[in-house]
């Protein structure tokens, strides 16, 4: 097993204190369970439970989302061999990553933008929540990842307009009711100390580069958000400089306000963070993750 990069250890202790740091470290060592999201465009949770029961696959329900289930990681191979996976009736997605679309207050006929969309877990979740009854645009600048996004959208039967471009260049003529910015980040919430390559690649420069991109993207998001519209900003980092510091930067614009994250928090592994935002630390069921919601007054 690798050891945690020293600069990260120091940052986490400074930001959260020694006791909480030790909990985070435990999460970095723990293998995560598999989780699946039911694609309600094509099926229902009851149908999926029936299939899993017939296949003798055991699962647990998730307190914050009726369409999600967790499974022991050893059953993942079996799931991948089933028709429900092949035909896009379910999507393998981390539990933390299901939270942003759930808190977007989505509704029919809204103009919705997913600014950084590949491979499409959250785009297809949005489509599933609104049952394809909204105008969803998904933007992705990386060509190979954009192909993957198109593939997943098609497989899930989602109705989405895909734009292969840098979303910082979206024409400001277009305005949206809801924007999801699931920003590129250092991934400090998803580190796995058993993954040598990932740990060796985790450097200060990665954090600095991520912050620059996050700031560029969130500033653009604010410009193309309609008045009264809402922006959900998320990352799979637990570093405050990629999360609440980025949010605080755009909050200097007095037309914006933070809005509470409305979700059942009963079982969530919550870290202390800026009021109204949500930060999770890594555990066997959750990746470390951050979510904030902003409204344009
Ligand atoms: N939301 C995705 C999901 O749930 O499947 C994961 C998104 S991942 C955290 C960030 C994505 O943003 C990457 O695919 C990356 O290529 C893309 N990206 C980074 N900068 C971008 C930009 N300026 N414009 C569009 N896409 C960008």
């Amino acid at each position: 097993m690798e050891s945690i990069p020293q600069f990260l250890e120091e940052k986490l202790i400074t930001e959260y204190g020694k006791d909480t740091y030790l909990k985070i470290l435990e999460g970095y060592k723990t293998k995560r369970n598999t989780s699946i999201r039911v694609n309600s465009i094509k099926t229902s949770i009851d149908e999926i439970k029936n299939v899993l029961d017939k296949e003798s696959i055991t699962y647990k329900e998730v307190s914050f989302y009726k369409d999600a289930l967790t499974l022991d990681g050893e059953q993942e191979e079996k799931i991948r061999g089933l028709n429900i996976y092949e035909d896009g009736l379910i999507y393998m997605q981390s539990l933390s990553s299901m939270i942003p679309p759930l808190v977007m207050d989505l509704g029919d006929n809204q103009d919705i933008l997913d600014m950084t969309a590949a491979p499409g877990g959250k785009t297809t979740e949005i489509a599933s929540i609104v049952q394809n009854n909204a105008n969803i645009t998904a933007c992705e600048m990386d060509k190979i990842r954009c192909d993957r996004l198109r593939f997943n959208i098609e497989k899930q039967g989602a109705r989405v307009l895909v734009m292969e471009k840098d979303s910082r260049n979206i024409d400001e003529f277009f305005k949206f009711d809801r924007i999801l910015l699931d920003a590129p980040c250092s991934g400090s919430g998803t580190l796995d100390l058993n993954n040598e390559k990932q740990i060796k690649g985790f450097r200060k420069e990665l954090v600095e580069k991520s912050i620059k991109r996050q700031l560029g993207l969130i500033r653009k998001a604010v410009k193309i958000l309609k008045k009264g519209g809402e922006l959900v900003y998320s990352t799979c980092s637990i570093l405050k400089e990629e999360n609440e510091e980025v949010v605080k930067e755009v909050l200097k614009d007095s037309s914006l306000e933070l809005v509470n994250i409305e979700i059942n928090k009963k079982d969530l592994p919550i870290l202390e963070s800026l009021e109204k935002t949500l930060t999770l630390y890594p555990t066997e069921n959750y990746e470390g993750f951050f979510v904030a919601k902003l409204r344009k007054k």
Side-chain angles (χ1 to χ4, degrees):
M1 191 175 288
E2 297 296 307
S3 44
I4 182 168
Q6 200 188 338
F7 84 94
L8 179 61
E9 175 177 309
E10 285 164 10
K11 267 184 199 294
L12 291 174
I13 292 175
T14 310
E15 292 183 8
Y16 296 109
K18 185 83 194 210
D19 288 352
T20 305
Y21 163 71
L22 291 174
K23 280 200 285 192
I24 296 169
L25 189 61
E26 201 46 47
Y28 286 161
K29 292 179 188 164
T30 307
K31 189 170 162 23
R32 248 174 295 290
N33 287 324
T34 297
S35 42
I36 60 172
R37 174 176 57 76
V38 173
N39 176 12
S40 63
I41 296 170
K42 292 194 171 186
T43 186
S44 68
I45 182 78
D46 291 337
E47 279 180 25
I48 295 301
K49 281 180 179 169
N50 279 338
V51 174
L52 298 179
D53 290 341
K54 272 194 204 129
E55 297 289 335
S56 305
I57 293 176
T58 52
Y59 52 81
K60 288 195 184 127
E61 295 184 352
V62 174
S63 54
F64 72 82
Y65 195 10
K66 68 168 183 41
D67 280 345
L69 298 170
T70 57
L71 318 144
D72 183 324
E74 274 159 25
Q75 300 184 105
E76 186 171 323
E77 264 324 292
K78 205 167 171 192
I79 292 268
R80 286 184 191 274
L82 298 178
N83 288 343
I84 52 168
Y85 177 73
E86 267 309 303
D87 298 341
L89 275 63
I90 57 168
Y91 190 93
M92 295 226 184
Q93 188 173 348
S94 86
L95 285 188
S96 306
S97 136
M98 295 180 200
I99 296 175
L102 280 180
V103 303
M104 284 175 77
D105 200 10
L106 298 167
D108 286 0
N109 302 317
Q110 287 172 341
D111 295 315
I112 303 168
L113 172 67
D114 185 346
M115 280 182 87
T116 48
K122 299 181 192 67
T123 310
T124 53
E125 184 180 343
I126 291 170
S128 168
I129 293 171
V130 298
Q131 292 287 294
N132 275 340
N133 289 318
N135 310 310
I136 307 170
T137 304
C139 197
E140 170 60 48
M141 71 185 282
D142 181 287
K143 186 185 177 316
I144 294 169
R145 291 180 64 89
C146 201
D147 288 345
R148 192 74 207 164
L149 170 67
R150 288 196 181 94
F151 172 84
N152 282 329
I153 286 172
E154 168 97 31
K155 184 170 165 180
Q156 301 276 306
R159 199 174 65 85
V160 177
L161 173 74
V162 176
M163 291 199 301
E164 187 182 322
K165 71 183 284 175
D166 184 328
S167 53
R168 288 170 297 188
N169 298 331
I170 293 174
D171 192 325
E172 283 168 29
F173 167 81
F174 297 105
K175 297 276 188 275
F176 298 88
D177 300 294
R178 297 286 180 270
I179 297 179
L180 172 62
L181 172 52
D182 183 41
C185 70
S186 67
S188 70
T190 62
L191 290 186
D192 172 2
L193 292 182
N194 295 300
N195 183 337
E196 186 186 338
K197 194 167 165 238
Q198 188 198 32
I199 300 301
K200 293 250 152 43
F202 194 89
R203 302 221 176 89
K204 267 186 197 155
E205 298 74 44
L206 175 66
V207 177
E208 283 154 15
K209 194 172 130 200
S210 300
I211 297 170
K212 260 196 199 139
R213 293 167 99 188
Q214 290 153 358
L215 284 170
L217 283 160
I218 201 169
R219 285 188 181 120
K220 182 69 185 200
V222 169
K223 285 192 185 140
I224 54 178
L225 188 63
K226 287 185 194 173
K227 275 191 188 156
E230 289 176 352
L231 159 68
V232 168
Y233 174 79
S234 58
T235 73
C236 58
S237 176
I238 51 174
L239 292 173
K240 291 179 190 267
E241 58 211 283
E242 293 183 73
N243 296 337
E244 48 200 84
E245 294 306 324
V246 171
V247 167
K248 279 185 196 160
E249 196 52 41
V250 287
L251 278 172
K252 287 179 185 163
D253 176 343
S254 60
S255 72
L256 293 174
E257 61 185 354
L258 267 175
V259 183
N260 244 334
I261 303 287
E262 303 284 353
I263 194 163
N264 181 351
K265 301 193 176 109
K266 187 168 74 81
D267 297 324
L268 299 183
I270 296 179
L271 283 174
E272 163 281 320
S273 71
L274 179 67
E275 204 190 341
K276 297 188 180 171
T277 67
L278 181 68
T279 309
L280 305 182
Y281 61 89
T283 64
E284 64 169 359
N285 280 325
Y286 290 87
E287 288 179 336
F289 210 79
F290 174 78
V291 192
K293 181 164 155 175
L294 298 149
R295 181 181 296 135
K296 197 180 247 186
K297 296 178 212 165

